[in-house]
Amino acid sequence: MKLIKHKKGFTMVELVIVIAIMGIVFIAISSFLLTNIKTFHRAEDQIDAQSSAQIAMNVIVDGIMEAQQIVDPISTYDHDTVREIKFRIHGNRTIQFDYDNSKNTLTKIEKNGASTTRSEYAENIENFNVTKIGSNGVKITITTELNDSEITLTNEVYFRNASN
């Protein structure tokens, strides 16, 4: 029998060792990547929840800036019903904001005489509360939730054009 001396290639032991090392490296890299992907999605949910709350708040505040007073009463209901607040602008022009708890949305309804415009403008709203502050202001609290990210915004707004 002749012995082959300079045979090129890898032995089975060398291949097993390389595969084991590559497996350990792959597990470490994939663990790192999965953690970063989860963090990215969580941050994205927080940004979307905050954006939704901020849009809702901005639209309400813009409406209130023109308002003269709240049209009583502020309607707050329990369970899956609508919460609403209505502001009188000038004469018979009003802006109303409705919260639908069953759909988690806010809707803006503008009435000017016989003309009515309705637009659903905010979603993922978990809670919407409006409290009167004296006769010329309101405190608004909006909570949005998207997956595990919850954002709450609170704002006090006073009427510029308050009528006495």
Side-chain angles (χ1 to χ4, degrees):
M1 257 200 209
K2 291 186 186 179
L3 292 174
I4 304 173
K5 287 194 177 182
H6 296 290
K7 184 176 181 184
K8 294 184 179 183
F10 300 106
T11 65
M12 184 62 100
V13 174
E14 291 173 328
L15 288 175
V16 169
I17 291 172
V18 168
I19 290 172
I21 292 171
M22 286 177 58
I24 292 169
V25 170
F26 177 75
I27 288 171
I29 290 172
S30 64
S31 173
F32 174 75
L33 289 175
L34 288 176
T35 302
N36 284 335
I37 289 170
K38 287 178 185 176
T39 302
F40 174 77
H41 286 297
R42 212 175 10 254
E44 194 173 53
D45 288 345
Q46 286 177 337
I47 290 169
D48 289 345
Q50 185 173 5
S51 174
S52 187
Q54 192 63 53
I55 288 169
M57 186 67 77
N58 288 347
V59 170
I60 293 171
V61 169
D62 288 347
I64 293 173
M65 291 296 193
E66 294 182 70
Q68 293 178 328
Q69 67 187 45
I70 296 174
V71 177
D72 283 324
I74 296 176
S75 301
T76 53
Y77 305 101
D78 293 326
H79 306 13
D80 290 337
T81 56
V82 175
R83 297 175 195 218
E84 61 188 44
I85 184 163
K86 185 188 261 185
F87 301 100
R88 184 170 66 80
I89 307 297
H90 298 288
N92 60 356
R93 183 171 171 237
T94 61
I95 295 178
Q96 179 175 324
F97 298 96
D98 287 351
Y99 169 60
D100 188 339
N101 193 26
S102 63
K103 292 192 222 174
N104 291 347
T105 59
L106 273 173
T107 303
K108 179 181 176 184
I109 303 166
E110 293 185 65
K111 292 184 180 180
N112 194 358
S115 171
T116 301
T117 306
R118 182 181 199 90
S119 59
E120 194 173 278
Y121 71 94
E123 53 188 22
N124 302 319
I125 306 296
E126 285 297 313
N127 197 7
F128 173 68
N129 287 314
V130 180
T131 309
K132 280 179 97 170
I133 301 173
S135 62
N136 66 340
V138 292
K139 178 180 178 181
I140 303 163
T141 303
I142 297 173
T143 302
T144 58
E145 186 174 339
L146 189 59
N147 298 326
D148 292 335
S149 299
E150 184 177 291
I151 302 291
T152 300
L153 294 180
T154 301
N155 201 347
E156 289 184 9
V157 183
Y158 295 90
F159 306 120
R160 289 182 181 172
N161 304 315
S163 60
N164 297 323

